[in-house]
Amino acid sequence: MEWIYIMLKSISLFILVWASAKLLGKKNINRLTPFSFMGYIVIAVTAVLITLNFINIISGIIVLAIWIILPVLLDFFAIKSKTFHQLLNGKETILIKHGKIMEENLMPLRMTGEDLLAELRSKNIFNLAEIEYAVMETNGEINAYLKSDKKTITPHDLGKKVAPQAEPQTVIMDGNILDESLASLGFNRQWMESQLENMGITLENVFIGQVDSSGDLFLDLFDDAIELAQPKVKEMLYANLEKSQADLSTFATETEDTKAKAMFSKNADDLDNLLNKLRPYLLH
Amino acid sequence: MTVVSQVKQTLANLKGARGTLRMYSAQTRDQETKAVFNDALGITDNIITDLQNRLKILELKEPQYKGN
Protein backbone atom coordinates (compact mmCIF):
# COMPACT_ATOMS: atom_id res chain seq x y z
CA MET A 1 0.00 0.00 0.00
CA GLU A 2 3.08 2.17 -0.36
CA TRP A 3 1.81 3.82 -3.54
CA ILE A 4 -1.51 4.92 -2.03
CA TYR A 5 0.41 6.52 0.81
CA ILE A 6 2.70 8.40 -1.61
CA MET A 7 -0.27 9.45 -3.71
CA LEU A 8 -2.15 10.86 -0.74
CA LYS A 9 0.96 12.64 0.44
CA SER A 10 1.59 14.09 -3.02
CA ILE A 11 -1.94 15.40 -3.30
CA SER A 12 -1.94 17.01 0.13
CA LEU A 13 1.48 18.57 -0.48
CA PHE A 14 0.32 19.73 -3.90
CA ILE A 15 -2.51 21.61 -2.23
CA LEU A 16 -0.22 22.94 0.48
CA VAL A 17 2.39 24.21 -1.98
CA TRP A 18 -0.29 25.73 -4.20
CA ALA A 19 -1.79 27.53 -1.20
CA SER A 20 1.61 28.76 -0.07
CA ALA A 21 2.32 30.16 -3.55
CA LYS A 22 -0.95 32.10 -3.30
CA LEU A 23 -0.01 33.25 0.19
CA LEU A 24 3.42 34.44 -0.88
CA GLY A 25 1.93 36.84 -3.33
CA LYS A 26 1.24 37.57 -6.94
CA LYS A 27 4.67 38.74 -7.93
CA ASN A 28 5.83 37.76 -11.38
CA ILE A 29 8.47 35.02 -11.24
CA ASN A 30 11.08 37.03 -13.15
CA ARG A 31 10.53 40.06 -10.94
CA LEU A 32 11.57 38.17 -7.82
CA THR A 33 14.49 39.26 -5.72
CA PRO A 34 17.13 36.52 -5.56
CA PHE A 35 16.22 35.85 -1.96
CA SER A 36 12.53 35.17 -2.48
CA PHE A 37 13.50 33.03 -5.46
CA MET A 38 15.56 30.85 -3.11
CA GLY A 39 12.59 30.69 -0.77
CA TYR A 40 10.46 29.21 -3.52
CA ILE A 41 13.14 26.65 -4.31
CA VAL A 42 13.43 25.58 -0.69
CA ILE A 43 9.66 25.07 -0.51
CA ALA A 44 9.60 23.10 -3.76
CA VAL A 45 12.54 20.87 -2.87
CA THR A 46 11.27 20.14 0.63
CA ALA A 47 7.87 19.22 -0.76
CA VAL A 48 9.49 16.72 -3.13
CA LEU A 49 11.70 15.27 -0.40
CA ILE A 50 8.72 14.72 1.90
CA THR A 51 6.69 13.01 -0.82
CA LEU A 52 9.48 10.63 -1.72
CA ASN A 53 10.12 9.74 1.95
CA PHE A 54 13.64 11.18 1.98
CA ILE A 55 12.84 13.13 5.12
CA ASN A 56 10.50 12.51 7.96
CA ILE A 57 7.09 14.14 7.44
CA ILE A 58 7.11 16.09 10.71
CA SER A 59 10.47 17.75 10.15
CA GLY A 60 9.51 18.39 6.55
CA ILE A 61 6.35 20.19 7.59
CA ILE A 62 8.32 22.30 10.07
CA VAL A 63 10.73 23.40 7.33
CA LEU A 64 7.84 24.23 5.02
CA ALA A 65 6.00 26.17 7.69
CA ILE A 66 9.06 28.28 8.49
CA TRP A 67 9.80 29.02 4.84
CA ILE A 68 6.22 30.03 4.22
CA ILE A 69 5.52 32.00 7.38
CA LEU A 70 8.84 33.87 7.62
CA PRO A 71 8.70 35.44 4.14
CA VAL A 72 5.10 36.51 4.75
CA LEU A 73 6.12 38.08 8.06
CA LEU A 74 9.17 39.76 6.52
CA ASP A 75 7.06 41.13 3.68
CA PHE A 76 4.62 42.50 6.21
CA PHE A 77 7.38 44.32 8.11
CA ALA A 78 8.88 45.55 4.85
CA ILE A 79 5.58 47.22 4.01
CA LYS A 80 5.46 48.85 7.43
CA SER A 81 9.07 50.08 7.58
CA LYS A 82 11.18 51.57 4.83
CA THR A 83 14.52 50.75 6.44
CA PHE A 84 13.46 47.16 6.89
CA HIS A 85 12.41 47.08 3.25
CA GLN A 86 15.88 48.20 2.22
CA LEU A 87 17.51 45.71 4.54
CA LEU A 88 15.44 42.89 3.08
CA ASN A 89 15.33 43.75 -0.60
CA GLY A 90 18.41 45.90 -0.94
CA LYS A 91 18.48 49.20 -2.71
CA GLU A 92 18.43 49.98 -6.39
CA THR A 93 21.84 50.84 -7.85
CA ILE A 94 22.43 53.78 -10.13
CA LEU A 95 24.41 52.60 -13.16
CA ILE A 96 24.35 55.70 -15.36
CA LYS A 97 24.02 59.23 -14.09
CA HIS A 98 24.01 62.37 -16.23
CA GLY A 99 24.91 60.16 -19.17
CA LYS A 100 28.04 58.77 -17.52
CA ILE A 101 28.54 55.16 -16.42
CA MET A 102 29.23 54.79 -12.70
CA GLU A 103 31.99 52.19 -12.91
CA GLU A 104 32.38 51.96 -9.13
CA ASN A 105 28.74 50.81 -8.89
CA LEU A 106 29.19 48.09 -11.50
CA MET A 107 31.86 46.33 -9.48
CA PRO A 108 29.74 45.24 -6.47
CA LEU A 109 27.10 43.94 -8.91
CA ARG A 110 29.78 41.87 -10.63
CA MET A 111 28.77 43.38 -13.91
CA THR A 112 31.08 44.09 -16.83
CA GLY A 113 30.62 46.85 -19.36
CA GLU A 114 29.63 44.19 -21.87
CA ASP A 115 26.87 42.94 -19.54
CA LEU A 116 25.54 46.44 -19.16
CA LEU A 117 25.51 47.01 -22.91
CA ALA A 118 23.78 43.69 -23.49
CA GLU A 119 21.09 44.52 -20.93
CA LEU A 120 20.53 47.92 -22.50
CA ARG A 121 20.33 46.38 -25.97
CA SER A 122 17.57 44.10 -24.76
CA LYS A 123 15.72 47.33 -23.96
CA ASN A 124 16.29 48.41 -27.55
CA ILE A 125 18.92 50.98 -26.62
CA PHE A 126 22.04 50.51 -28.72
CA ASN A 127 23.65 53.85 -28.26
CA LEU A 128 25.01 54.77 -24.84
CA ALA A 129 24.85 58.44 -25.79
CA GLU A 130 21.05 58.28 -25.68
CA ILE A 131 20.88 57.50 -21.97
CA GLU A 132 20.61 60.12 -19.29
CA TYR A 133 20.06 57.87 -16.30
CA ALA A 134 19.86 54.13 -15.66
CA VAL A 135 19.26 52.08 -12.54
CA MET A 136 19.39 48.43 -11.66
CA GLU A 137 16.29 47.59 -9.65
CA THR A 138 16.51 45.29 -6.64
CA ASN A 139 15.31 42.40 -8.79
CA GLY A 140 18.19 42.88 -11.25
CA GLU A 141 16.20 44.55 -13.97
CA ILE A 142 17.79 47.56 -15.63
CA ASN A 143 15.66 50.56 -16.45
CA ALA A 144 16.92 53.51 -18.45
CA TYR A 145 15.68 57.05 -18.78
CA LEU A 146 16.52 58.53 -22.15
CA LYS A 147 17.82 62.01 -22.82
CA SER A 148 14.95 64.35 -23.53
CA ASP A 149 15.74 64.67 -27.23
CA LYS A 150 15.79 60.88 -27.66
CA LYS A 151 12.47 60.18 -26.03
CA THR A 152 9.35 59.25 -27.94
CA ILE A 153 7.33 62.26 -28.93
CA THR A 154 3.97 62.59 -27.24
CA PRO A 155 1.12 64.89 -28.29
CA HIS A 156 2.01 66.94 -25.21
CA ASP A 157 5.52 67.59 -26.61
CA LEU A 158 3.96 68.83 -29.84
CA GLY A 159 1.58 71.07 -27.92
CA LYS A 160 -1.31 69.23 -29.49
CA LYS A 161 -4.57 68.58 -27.76
CA VAL A 162 -5.97 65.11 -28.22
CA ALA A 163 -9.41 63.90 -27.25
CA PRO A 164 -9.48 61.76 -24.14
CA GLN A 165 -10.38 58.22 -25.05
CA ALA A 166 -11.54 55.52 -22.74
CA GLU A 167 -11.02 51.86 -23.60
CA PRO A 168 -13.33 50.46 -26.28
CA GLN A 169 -15.87 47.87 -25.22
CA THR A 170 -16.42 44.65 -27.12
CA VAL A 171 -20.15 44.31 -27.66
CA ILE A 172 -20.37 41.52 -30.24
CA MET A 173 -18.38 38.29 -30.24
CA ASP A 174 -18.96 35.43 -32.67
CA GLY A 175 -22.33 36.83 -33.71
CA ASN A 176 -23.59 37.14 -30.15
CA ILE A 177 -24.43 40.41 -28.43
CA LEU A 178 -22.61 40.76 -25.12
CA ASP A 179 -25.36 42.32 -23.04
CA GLU A 180 -23.19 43.12 -20.06
CA SER A 181 -20.72 45.40 -21.86
CA LEU A 182 -23.52 46.90 -23.93
CA ALA A 183 -25.37 47.81 -20.75
CA SER A 184 -22.22 49.30 -19.22
CA LEU A 185 -22.14 51.72 -22.17
CA GLY A 186 -25.74 52.67 -21.56
CA PHE A 187 -26.97 51.09 -24.78
CA ASN A 188 -29.42 48.25 -25.32
CA ARG A 189 -30.12 45.57 -27.90
CA GLN A 190 -32.51 47.86 -29.74
CA TRP A 191 -29.75 50.40 -30.32
CA MET A 192 -27.48 47.61 -31.54
CA GLU A 193 -30.12 46.29 -33.95
CA SER A 194 -30.81 49.73 -35.41
CA GLN A 195 -27.06 50.33 -35.86
CA LEU A 196 -26.68 47.02 -37.69
CA GLU A 197 -29.74 47.75 -39.78
CA ASN A 198 -28.31 51.11 -40.81
CA MET A 199 -25.15 49.36 -41.98
CA GLY A 200 -27.15 46.64 -43.68
CA ILE A 201 -25.50 43.83 -41.72
CA THR A 202 -27.08 40.89 -39.94
CA LEU A 203 -25.88 39.98 -36.47
CA GLU A 204 -24.88 36.45 -37.52
CA ASN A 205 -22.34 37.88 -39.94
CA VAL A 206 -20.45 39.86 -37.28
CA PHE A 207 -17.34 38.23 -35.79
CA ILE A 208 -16.28 41.06 -33.46
CA GLY A 209 -17.95 44.41 -32.78
CA GLN A 210 -16.45 47.15 -30.64
CA VAL A 211 -17.84 50.47 -29.48
CA ASP A 212 -15.31 53.23 -28.81
CA SER A 213 -15.66 55.84 -26.10
CA SER A 214 -17.54 58.24 -28.37
CA GLY A 215 -20.12 55.56 -29.14
CA ASP A 216 -19.03 54.68 -32.69
CA LEU A 217 -19.39 51.04 -33.68
CA PHE A 218 -16.59 49.15 -35.44
CA LEU A 219 -17.39 45.77 -36.96
CA ASP A 220 -15.33 42.88 -38.27
CA LEU A 221 -17.36 40.47 -40.40
CA PHE A 222 -16.98 36.76 -41.04
CA ASP A 223 -17.32 37.44 -44.72
CA ASP A 224 -14.29 39.56 -45.60
CA ALA A 225 -15.52 40.01 -49.16
CA ILE A 226 -18.12 42.49 -47.90
CA GLU A 227 -16.73 46.01 -47.92
CA LEU A 228 -18.09 47.74 -44.88
CA ALA A 229 -18.19 51.49 -44.63
CA GLN A 230 -16.56 52.07 -41.26
CA PRO A 231 -17.87 54.99 -39.26
CA LYS A 232 -16.94 58.29 -40.87
CA VAL A 233 -19.64 60.24 -39.08
CA LYS A 234 -17.21 62.50 -37.24
CA GLU A 235 -15.29 63.43 -40.38
CA MET A 236 -18.60 64.14 -42.13
CA LEU A 237 -19.74 66.31 -39.25
CA TYR A 238 -16.51 68.28 -39.36
CA ALA A 239 -16.76 68.77 -43.12
CA ASN A 240 -20.37 69.85 -42.74
CA LEU A 241 -19.53 72.47 -40.14
CA GLU A 242 -16.58 73.65 -42.21
CA LYS A 243 -18.83 74.15 -45.22
CA SER A 244 -21.35 76.10 -43.14
CA GLN A 245 -18.54 78.28 -41.86
CA ALA A 246 -17.42 79.05 -45.42
CA ASP A 247 -21.03 79.83 -46.38
CA LEU A 248 -21.40 82.26 -43.50
CA SER A 249 -18.19 84.06 -44.52
CA THR A 250 -19.51 84.36 -48.07
CA PHE A 251 -22.82 85.77 -46.84
CA ALA A 252 -20.93 88.28 -44.69
CA THR A 253 -19.01 89.64 -47.67
CA GLU A 254 -21.95 89.59 -50.09
CA THR A 255 -24.66 91.24 -48.05
CA GLU A 256 -25.03 95.02 -48.05
CA ASP A 257 -27.14 95.25 -44.94
CA THR A 258 -24.66 96.29 -42.19
CA LYS A 259 -26.60 94.60 -39.42
CA ALA A 260 -26.76 91.33 -41.32
CA LYS A 261 -23.08 91.67 -42.21
CA ALA A 262 -22.16 91.97 -38.53
CA MET A 263 -24.37 89.00 -37.65
CA PHE A 264 -22.89 86.79 -40.39
CA SER A 265 -19.28 87.62 -39.64
CA LYS A 266 -19.77 87.13 -35.90
CA ASN A 267 -21.33 83.72 -36.51
CA ALA A 268 -18.59 82.83 -39.00
CA ASP A 269 -15.98 83.65 -36.35
CA ASP A 270 -17.84 81.68 -33.69
CA LEU A 271 -18.02 78.68 -35.95
CA ASP A 272 -14.35 79.01 -36.84
CA ASN A 273 -13.41 78.95 -33.15
CA LEU A 274 -15.68 76.01 -32.62
CA LEU A 275 -14.03 74.12 -35.49
CA ASN A 276 -10.62 74.63 -33.91
CA LYS A 277 -11.93 73.34 -30.63
CA LEU A 278 -13.64 70.32 -32.16
CA ARG A 279 -10.75 69.28 -34.42
CA PRO A 280 -9.02 66.97 -31.91
CA TYR A 281 -12.33 65.32 -31.08
CA LEU A 282 -13.60 64.81 -34.61
CA LEU A 283 -10.44 64.27 -36.67
CA HIS A 284 -7.81 61.87 -35.49
CA MET B 1 -29.15 80.46 -56.77
CA THR B 2 -30.91 83.21 -54.85
CA VAL B 3 -29.73 84.47 -51.49
CA VAL B 4 -32.77 83.03 -49.78
CA SER B 5 -32.20 79.52 -51.06
CA GLN B 6 -28.48 79.76 -50.24
CA VAL B 7 -29.24 80.71 -46.65
CA LYS B 8 -31.81 77.95 -46.50
CA GLN B 9 -29.27 75.40 -47.63
CA THR B 10 -26.74 76.49 -45.02
CA LEU B 11 -29.48 76.36 -42.42
CA ALA B 12 -30.31 72.79 -43.41
CA ASN B 13 -26.60 71.88 -43.25
CA LEU B 14 -26.28 73.32 -39.77
CA LYS B 15 -29.41 71.55 -38.59
CA GLY B 16 -27.96 68.26 -39.79
CA ALA B 17 -24.71 68.99 -37.95
CA ARG B 18 -26.66 69.89 -34.83
CA GLY B 19 -28.41 66.52 -34.94
CA THR B 20 -25.11 64.66 -35.16
CA LEU B 21 -23.62 66.76 -32.36
CA ARG B 22 -26.62 65.98 -30.18
CA MET B 23 -26.17 62.27 -30.85
CA TYR B 24 -22.50 62.41 -29.85
CA SER B 25 -23.12 64.50 -26.76
CA ALA B 26 -25.61 61.84 -25.68
CA GLN B 27 -23.54 58.75 -26.39
CA THR B 28 -20.04 59.92 -25.38
CA ARG B 29 -18.84 58.41 -22.12
CA ASP B 30 -16.05 60.88 -21.36
CA GLN B 31 -17.28 63.89 -19.40
CA GLU B 32 -14.81 66.38 -20.90
CA THR B 33 -15.70 65.37 -24.46
CA LYS B 34 -19.38 65.53 -23.58
CA ALA B 35 -18.92 69.11 -22.36
CA VAL B 36 -17.20 70.08 -25.64
CA PHE B 37 -20.05 68.61 -27.67
CA ASN B 38 -22.64 70.34 -25.49
CA ASP B 39 -20.79 73.62 -25.96
CA ALA B 40 -20.78 73.06 -29.72
CA LEU B 41 -24.52 72.35 -29.58
CA GLY B 42 -25.12 75.72 -27.92
CA ILE B 43 -23.08 77.61 -30.52
CA THR B 44 -24.75 75.91 -33.50
CA ASP B 45 -28.12 76.57 -31.87
CA ASN B 46 -27.35 80.30 -31.70
CA ILE B 47 -26.23 80.41 -35.32
CA ILE B 48 -29.34 78.55 -36.42
CA THR B 49 -31.58 81.05 -34.60
CA ASP B 50 -29.69 83.98 -36.19
CA LEU B 51 -30.03 82.47 -39.65
CA GLN B 52 -33.74 81.80 -39.15
CA ASN B 53 -34.29 85.44 -38.14
CA ARG B 54 -32.33 86.64 -41.14
CA LEU B 55 -34.38 84.36 -43.36
CA LYS B 56 -37.61 85.93 -42.09
CA ILE B 57 -36.33 89.41 -43.00
CA LEU B 58 -35.17 88.24 -46.42
CA GLU B 59 -38.50 86.62 -47.18
CA LEU B 60 -40.27 89.80 -46.15
CA LYS B 61 -38.07 91.83 -48.51
CA GLU B 62 -38.27 89.40 -51.40
CA PRO B 63 -41.67 87.77 -51.05
CA GLN B 64 -41.36 86.18 -54.49
CA TYR B 65 -38.78 83.71 -53.09
CA LYS B 66 -40.88 82.61 -50.20
CA GLY B 67 -41.13 78.86 -49.91
CA ASN B 68 -38.16 78.15 -52.15
Side-chain angles (χ1 to χ4, degrees):
Chain A
M1 286 300 111
E2 170 85 4
W3 64 275
I4 291 186
Y5 181 57
I6 290 187
M7 200 173 74
L8 283 177
K9 240 176 16 175
S10 293
I11 291 172
S12 40
L13 277 166
F14 175 86
I15 294 168
L16 185 71
V17 170
W18 175 81
S20 70
K22 290 274 156 208
L23 200 68
L24 287 173
K26 264 189 182 171
K27 276 188 225 151
N28 191 328
I29 193 88
N30 51 32
R31 296 261 173 82
L32 288 180
T33 57
F35 179 69
S36 37
F37 182 66
M38 285 190 295
Y40 281 124
I41 292 179
V42 170
I43 292 171
V45 170
T46 318
V48 172
L49 292 180
I50 298 172
T51 341
L52 297 177
N53 288 333
F54 280 109
I55 46 175
N56 163 303
I57 189 156
I58 306 287
S59 44
I61 295 284
I62 293 174
V63 171
L64 275 185
I66 286 175
W67 279 90
I68 293 167
I69 292 167
L70 264 187
V72 173
L73 271 182
L74 289 180
D75 277 346
F76 177 75
F77 287 125
I79 292 168
K80 293 285 170 200
S81 141
K82 188 159 163 48
T83 38
F84 196 80
H85 188 271
Q86 268 180 20
L87 198 73
L88 188 66
N89 295 319
K91 227 180 137 184
E92 66 274 12
T93 315
I94 299 170
L95 300 179
I96 297 177
K97 201 174 182 180
H98 301 310
K100 297 188 183 74
I101 300 179
M102 318 277 285
E103 289 82 3
E104 67 277 16
N105 284 353
L106 288 182
M107 206 42 205
L109 298 172
R110 254 155 282 133
M111 220 184 172
T112 63
E114 190 46 53
D115 292 339
L116 177 63
L117 287 179
E119 284 284 345
L120 290 172
R121 277 197 295 270
S122 73
K123 297 247 161 192
N124 230 343
I125 304 166
F126 286 77
N127 193 346
L128 258 185
E130 289 175 8
I131 305 170
E132 167 71 23
Y133 180 80
V135 284
M136 180 185 263
E137 309 295 348
T138 49
N139 59 21
E141 199 185 347
I142 291 182
N143 286 318
Y145 186 77
L146 298 183
K147 287 188 177 148
S148 50
D149 59 338
K150 299 290 182 191
K151 270 189 294 194
T152 337
I153 291 183
T154 62
H156 180 263
D157 294 330
L158 295 172
K160 259 192 123 120
K161 171 137 184 50
V162 288
Q165 270 193 330
E167 74 291 353
Q169 293 274 355
T170 306
V171 291
I172 301 178
M173 185 67 87
D174 269 322
N176 293 311
I177 294 182
L178 307 176
D179 287 301
E180 201 179 317
S181 47
L182 201 59
S184 77
L185 294 170
F187 295 136
N188 53 21
R189 271 173 181 260
Q190 251 166 348
W191 174 85
M192 191 79 242
E193 275 155 19
S194 71
Q195 290 279 311
L196 290 174
E197 204 173 313
N198 282 344
M199 293 180 168
I201 303 287
T202 56
L203 183 59
E204 299 79 60
N205 203 357
V206 182
F207 178 45
I208 290 178
Q210 278 193 325
V211 174
D212 68 11
S213 60
S214 64
D216 278 336
L217 178 66
F218 177 90
L219 297 178
D220 185 273
L221 304 184
F222 281 114
D223 189 349
D224 287 328
I226 299 177
E227 270 307 322
L228 192 63
Q230 294 297 350
K232 280 265 180 276
V233 188
K234 286 185 193 141
E235 285 82 350
M236 295 280 283
L237 173 61
Y238 190 82
N240 207 337
L241 286 173
E242 217 168 24
K243 187 179 176 306
S244 304
Q245 197 273 336
D247 285 350
L248 288 173
S249 302
T250 320
F251 295 153
T253 45
E254 279 178 357
T255 184
E256 269 140 36
D257 185 339
T258 46
K259 231 171 111 187
K261 212 182 193 65
M263 182 274 285
F264 280 133
S265 59
K266 183 195 166 285
N267 281 338
D269 286 348
D270 281 356
L271 204 50
D272 199 33
N273 289 337
L274 179 63
L275 280 170
N276 284 331
K277 212 168 140 196
L278 281 176
R279 190 171 295 129
Y281 296 93
L282 296 181
L283 307 177
H284 43 128
Chain B
M1 216 168 14
T2 66
V3 176
V4 174
S5 61
Q6 274 176 344
V7 174
K8 273 187 180 162
Q9 204 180 35
T10 309
L11 192 59
N13 249 336
L14 277 171
K15 280 183 177 167
R18 181 175 63 175
T20 319
L21 278 173
R22 185 161 290 152
M23 183 189 84
Y24 274 119
S25 84
Q27 70 181 18
T28 300
R29 273 181 286 155
D30 181 67
Q31 288 307 316
E32 194 192 323
T33 319
K34 223 184 180 69
V36 171
F37 282 131
N38 273 330
D39 198 23
L41 256 182
I43 293 171
T44 34
D45 248 348
N46 286 342
I47 300 176
I48 285 172
T49 331
D50 276 354
L51 283 188
Q52 274 167 341
N53 290 338
R54 180 67 194 153
L55 209 57
K56 273 180 208 149
I57 298 170
L58 284 177
E59 279 174 346
L60 219 62
K61 274 190 197 157
E62 312 171 46
Q64 68 270 34
Y65 298 124
K66 198 167 180 185
N68 267 359

